[in-house]
């Protein structure tokens, strides 16, 4: 029931770590990753608290899952980096007190303080081994170093030989030790050091503790909080669930290797997006907040988990290649990269599920024809007509499912299914007549692409997009000699209209710059570009731009046209 979804309360680091509680980072959770930037921010907050005894500092939410093993044990779903770092600060303080004992400074009292602080914040001695246990258990890569070296205050023989995350743990300890040395009012006094840890760090760094009953509720909490870093944590949550289904060490090792290959290909931050596209091959309207729930509902045992990993690995290279026309993936299909580049230029990802399904089901030539169709639909629908992308995503989702099921087997059938989002020629031409695109920033590449396509159609010669400058016939910063034909408002409105833009040789473009139209018109016929040679208007006015853009729109209709439509 909803009331059992979560329990929340405000708590301090000291409250969290006391009363015999144990906090466990899932075995396969991310390694420790904080670095000096985060340590410094935290330390500055602590120093501010130390200077103002009436204040406290909010550390954000920490999400804990109640362990099935004990009511005193919690699994850290979100917050391991903060808890590990605060634990390291406690270790640094305890080490400073130990050094006072070695220096014979109030040795009995400081020895007792050291023991009390260890039991309170770190853990007690194991009566068998006489080594200190830990209230905080890190993941499989970090826990041994944390327990053996940090908790037991044993410096590593060669820190540089440690794996990266364990180096960071040791560097964190070194950093906070050095910062403590910069506090002369406490560093030589065991009572002051103990007070710094117990009063400032433990009691005045505050968390919102969110306790949940299971992984599914934890995922819902992430969606509710909309916390920064959601994608990474949600990915870890899914990974932990999948790995929990593997029983034997061999299966687990194999799954870990396969997972790492997938993440190395897709990259952690893109994994939720990748998973959403994959799940869209079987489910409609897959939302980011439902990813974990969908996987959990369909993957119940080790075999199903392996099947999922196999499928994800199978699609991971395609996912990467769809974002990069130069990827080796396309080496044997040279016709594909130009369309891949167009999809990236148009920032089109709604089609990924359809392309996932078609790559598995279609012959290579038909997949290329589909890429072209998707590029044409995208240009018409998204770039020129600026229609609702949600409708496009919905129809690509259903098309992907039909391809995966074998109900659609050819690019023509895809076109028939998507005809409702193929902008008709009449509307496309009308919208193109009014198209304006800034030539600044990333949009500049899109303008170059459009002009190159229009020029190739006009001249019959393919054009290198990087070979020409974009000439603004009405300049971006027009002088007074343009004022008779353009008001200030008209200049701002018309300067980035396609009808006002044309390809031009860079030296000529630099030479004529913001000069008047009569001077420019004398140079245009000398250009190698057919579009530019064709600029013959006696004057350059808003009507001239509109007339030229109507001509370009007529070209655009047959340049960006599906192979499967009979429209003229």
């Amino acid at each position: 029931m909803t009331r059992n979804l979560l329990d929340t309360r405000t708590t301090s680091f000291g409250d969290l770590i006391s009363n015999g509680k144990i906090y466990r980072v899932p075995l396969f959770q991310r390694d420790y990753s904080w670095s000096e930037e985060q340590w410094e921010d935290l330390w500055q907050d602590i120093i501010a608290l130390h200077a103002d005894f009436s204040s406290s500092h909010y550390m954000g939410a920490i999400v804990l899952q109640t362990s099935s093993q004990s009511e005193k044990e919690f699994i850290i779903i979100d917050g391991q980096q903060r808890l590990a770092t605060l634990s390291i600060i406690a270790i640094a303080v305890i080490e400073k007190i130990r050094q006072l004992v070695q220096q014979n400074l109030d040795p009995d009292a400081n020895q007792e303080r050291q023991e009390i602080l260890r039991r309170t914040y770190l853990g007690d001695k194991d009566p068998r081994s006489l080594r200190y246990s830990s209230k905080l258990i890190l993941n499989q890569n970090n826990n041994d170093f944390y327990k053996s070296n940090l908790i037991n205050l044993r410096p590593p023989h060669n820190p540089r030989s440690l794996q990266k995350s364990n180096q960071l743990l040791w560097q964190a300890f070194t950093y906070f030790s050095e910062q403590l040395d910069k506090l002369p009012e406490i560093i030589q006094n065991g009572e002051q050091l103990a007070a710094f840890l117990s009063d400032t760090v433990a009691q005045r760094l505050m968390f919102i503790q969110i306790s949940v009953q299971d992984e599914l509720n934890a995922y819902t909490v992430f969606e509710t909080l909309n916390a920064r870093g959601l994608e990474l944590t949600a990915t870890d949550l899914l990974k932990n669930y999948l790995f929990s289904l593997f029983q034997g060490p061999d299966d687990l090792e194999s799954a870990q290797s396969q997972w790492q290959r997938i993440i190395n290909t897709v990259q952690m931050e893109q994994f939720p997006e990748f998973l959403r596209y994959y799940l869209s091959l079987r489910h409609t309207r897959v939302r980011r907040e439902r990813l974990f729930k969908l996987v959990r509902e369909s993957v119940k045992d080790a075999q199903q988990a392996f099947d999922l990993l196999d499928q994800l690995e199978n699609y991971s290279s395609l996912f990467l290649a769809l974002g990069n026309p130069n990827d080796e993936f396309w080496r044997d299909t040279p016709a594909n990269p130009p369309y891949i580049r167009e999809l990236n230029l148009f920032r089109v990802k709604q089609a990924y599920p359809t392309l996932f399904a078609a790559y598995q089901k279609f012959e290579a030539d038909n997949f290329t024809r589909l890429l072209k169709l998707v590029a044409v639909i995208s240009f018409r629908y998204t770039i020129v007509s600026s229609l609702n992308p949600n409708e496009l995503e919905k129809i690509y989702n259903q098309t992907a499912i039909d391809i995966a099921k074998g109900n659609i087997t050819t690019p023509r059938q895809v076109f028939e299914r998507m005809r409702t989002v193929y902008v008709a020629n009449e509307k496309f031409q009308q919208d193109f007549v009014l198209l304006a695109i800034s030539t600044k920033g990333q949009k500049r590449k899109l303008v170059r692409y459009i002009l190159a396509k229009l020029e190739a159609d006009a001249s019959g010669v393919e054009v290198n997009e990087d070979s020409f400058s974009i000439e603004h016939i009405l300049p971006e910063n027009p002088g007074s000699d343009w004022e008779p034909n353009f008001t200030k408002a008209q200049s701002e409105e018309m300067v980035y209209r396609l009808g006002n833009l044309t390809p031009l040789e860079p030296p000529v473009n630099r030479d004529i710059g913001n000069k008047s139209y009569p001077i420019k018109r004398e140079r245009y016929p000398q250009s190698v570009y057919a579009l530019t040679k064709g600029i013959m208007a006696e004057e350059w006015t808003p009507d001239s731009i509109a007339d030229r853009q109507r001509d370009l729109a007529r070209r655009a209709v047959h340049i960006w046209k599906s192979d499967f439509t009979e429209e003229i």
Side-chain angles (χ1 to χ4, degrees):
M1 295 178 64
T2 303
R3 65 176 180 271
N4 295 325
L5 175 63
L6 54 87
D7 174 61
T8 64
R9 66 187 183 95
T10 302
T11 189
S12 66
F13 171 62
D15 291 337
L16 279 170
I17 212 73
S18 63
N19 298 324
K21 296 172 187 172
I22 293 176
Y23 297 90
R24 185 182 299 274
V25 175
L27 278 180
F28 309 105
Q29 189 75 285
R30 278 178 296 152
D31 293 347
Y32 185 77
S33 61
W34 271 23
S35 59
E36 186 165 347
E37 180 181 357
Q38 289 80 31
W39 304 330
E40 183 176 5
D41 287 344
L42 175 58
W43 186 252
Q44 292 305 317
D45 292 332
I46 292 172
I47 292 302
L49 293 178
H50 181 60
D52 180 2
F53 292 103
S54 64
S55 63
S56 59
H57 178 73
Y58 174 58
M59 291 283 289
I62 181 169
V63 183
L64 305 173
Q65 179 186 329
T66 306
S67 171
S68 60
Q69 305 299 318
S70 167
E71 63 180 16
K72 289 281 192 179
E73 185 171 320
F74 297 89
I75 297 169
I76 305 172
I77 302 299
D78 190 38
Q80 63 144 324
Q81 306 286 339
R82 285 165 289 168
L83 283 185
T85 306
L86 290 174
S87 173
I88 290 170
I89 293 175
I91 294 169
V93 171
I94 292 167
E95 168 63 6
K96 295 301 180 186
I97 296 176
R98 188 179 74 88
Q99 290 174 7
L100 295 180
V101 174
Q102 291 177 335
Q103 296 167 22
N104 204 30
L105 295 175
D106 199 6
D108 293 339
N110 282 330
Q111 180 64 36
E112 188 173 355
R113 288 188 184 102
Q114 179 188 351
E115 295 297 332
I116 292 171
L117 293 177
R118 276 186 174 278
R119 288 196 299 271
T120 303
Y121 299 109
L122 303 181
D124 215 337
K125 273 188 178 180
D126 186 302
R128 294 162 298 180
S129 67
L130 298 181
R131 296 183 68 184
Y132 286 99
S133 60
S134 175
K135 295 186 175 191
L136 177 62
I137 300 169
L138 300 186
N139 73 0
Q140 64 172 2
N141 289 333
N142 296 150
N143 193 57
D144 184 62
F145 177 80
Y146 172 77
K147 186 169 66 173
S148 299
N149 295 88
L150 289 174
I151 293 289
N152 286 280
L153 298 175
R154 293 171 54 235
H157 295 301
N158 182 7
R160 291 189 176 183
S161 68
L162 299 172
Q163 67 181 71
K164 177 64 175 177
S165 55
N166 288 332
Q167 286 186 31
L168 289 172
L169 285 169
W170 182 251
Q171 289 165 10
F173 171 75
T174 303
Y175 173 84
F176 291 116
S177 295
E178 292 172 352
Q179 299 310 309
L180 285 167
D181 288 336
K182 298 175 183 177
L183 301 177
E185 71 276 15
I186 70 170
I187 193 61
Q188 291 297 317
N189 187 309
E191 185 178 355
Q192 292 295 324
L193 282 165
F196 178 79
L197 176 57
S198 297
D199 296 341
T200 301
V201 177
Q203 294 305 318
R204 290 160 61 203
L205 292 174
M206 307 303 294
F207 294 87
I208 296 295
Q209 177 183 329
I210 302 176
S211 300
V212 298
Q213 298 302 312
D214 57 33
E215 297 97 330
L216 185 56
N217 286 349
Y219 193 91
T220 305
V221 168
F222 287 130
E223 173 60 22
T224 303
L225 292 176
N226 193 25
R228 185 175 65 179
L230 168 64
E231 293 86 353
L232 295 176
T233 310
T235 299
D236 286 331
L237 190 64
L238 173 68
K239 177 183 68 172
N240 295 336
Y241 171 69
L242 292 178
F243 285 4
S244 73
L245 300 175
F246 300 111
Q247 301 302 318
D250 291 342
D251 282 355
L252 189 55
E253 183 177 353
S254 177
Q256 285 180 271
S257 298
Q258 193 167 16
W259 175 269
Q260 197 57 52
R261 290 196 299 272
I262 294 167
I263 293 301
N264 287 344
T265 301
V266 172
Q267 300 303 310
M268 183 79 84
E269 64 273 12
Q270 295 189 71
F271 182 83
E273 181 182 43
F274 166 59
L275 180 61
R276 188 168 76 89
Y277 297 143
Y278 167 75
L279 292 175
S280 295
L281 297 175
R282 293 164 179 80
H283 304 276
T284 58
R285 300 181 65 189
V286 177
R287 300 188 299 273
R288 290 176 73 88
E289 61 267 27
R290 293 187 65 225
L291 296 179
F292 181 76
K293 184 176 181 180
L294 286 173
V295 171
R296 186 173 166 130
E297 287 174 349
S298 59
V299 179
K300 303 287 190 181
D301 56 38
Q303 185 56 55
Q304 291 173 335
F306 269 128
D307 290 343
L308 175 63
L309 291 174
D310 287 344
Q311 287 293 308
L312 293 176
E313 185 170 16
N314 190 33
Y315 284 106
S316 62
S317 295
L318 175 60
F319 174 77
L320 187 68
L322 287 173
N324 180 12
N326 299 315
D327 197 288
E328 279 291 304
F329 191 90
W330 308 118
R331 182 179 55 191
D332 298 327
T333 51
N336 290 347
Y339 302 124
I340 299 298
R341 178 180 176 273
E342 289 179 8
L343 295 182
N344 283 274
L345 193 60
F346 306 158
R347 300 178 181 267
V348 172
K349 291 196 172 182
Q350 301 100 323
Y352 275 27
T354 291
L355 297 175
F356 276 18
Y359 192 80
Q360 296 296 323
K361 297 288 187 176
F362 287 8
E363 296 292 332
D365 288 349
N366 275 342
F367 183 76
T368 299
R369 297 184 78 194
L370 177 63
L371 283 175
K372 179 182 178 182
L373 173 63
V374 169
V376 167
I377 288 175
S378 301
F379 185 77
R380 286 182 171 235
Y381 190 96
T382 304
I383 301 301
V384 175
S385 294
S386 299
L387 297 174
N388 183 2
N390 292 334
E391 183 64 25
L392 203 57
E393 181 165 333
K394 184 167 63 175
I395 199 164
Y396 274 127
N397 183 189
Q398 190 56 59
T399 303
I401 292 172
D402 284 338
I403 293 174
K405 288 180 176 179
N407 298 333
I408 289 178
T409 59
T410 67
R412 178 175 286 278
Q413 289 175 316
V414 173
F415 174 74
E416 294 301 331
R417 166 55 60 83
M418 302 197 68
R419 189 180 281 272
T420 57
V421 292
Y422 179 81
V423 178
N425 284 351
E426 183 178 359
K427 176 170 174 53
F428 174 68
Q429 187 168 330
Q430 289 172 349
D431 291 339
F432 197 96
V433 164
L434 300 175
L435 186 62
I437 305 176
S438 171
T439 56
K440 301 181 185 299
Q442 291 298 313
K443 293 286 188 180
R444 191 174 185 85
K445 292 182 180 179
L446 180 60
V447 174
R448 285 185 173 279
Y449 160 81
I450 295 172
L451 289 178
K453 285 285 193 181
L454 291 166
E455 173 62 27
D457 184 72
S459 65
V461 178
E462 291 298 318
V463 179
N464 181 343
E465 293 173 24
D466 295 324
S467 66
F468 60 82
S469 291
I470 300 172
E471 157 72 352
H472 301 74
I473 303 169
L474 165 68
E476 291 180 284
N477 300 298
S480 58
D481 47 0
W482 290 88
E483 290 178 2
N485 290 337
F486 291 91
T487 66
K488 183 178 181 181
Q490 286 175 323
S491 293
E492 292 175 353
E493 178 191 351
M494 307 293 282
V495 68
Y496 297 123
R497 290 275 293 272
L498 260 295
N500 188 57
L501 306 177
T502 196
L504 190 63
E505 294 84 350
V508 179
N509 182 260
R510 287 192 295 271
D511 185 37
I512 61 177
N514 293 347
K515 292 178 180 176
S516 65
Y517 177 69
I519 294 174
K520 290 188 172 193
R521 191 169 65 112
E522 289 180 2
R523 303 293 297 274
Y524 290 158
Q526 303 167 25
S527 174
V528 299
Y529 299 108
L531 287 182
T532 307
K533 286 181 179 179
I535 299 171
M536 305 296 292
E538 290 294 325
E539 291 185 297
W540 200 247
T541 66
D543 287 342
S544 305
I545 293 174
D547 288 344
R548 183 168 183 263
Q549 193 150 341
R550 276 190 286 271
D551 290 339
L552 298 178
R554 284 189 284 270
R555 289 190 183 279
V557 168
H558 67 257
I559 295 173
W560 289 279
K561 179 180 178 182
S562 165
D563 294 338
F564 308 108
T565 178
E566 271 52 39
E567 286 186 292
I568 299 175

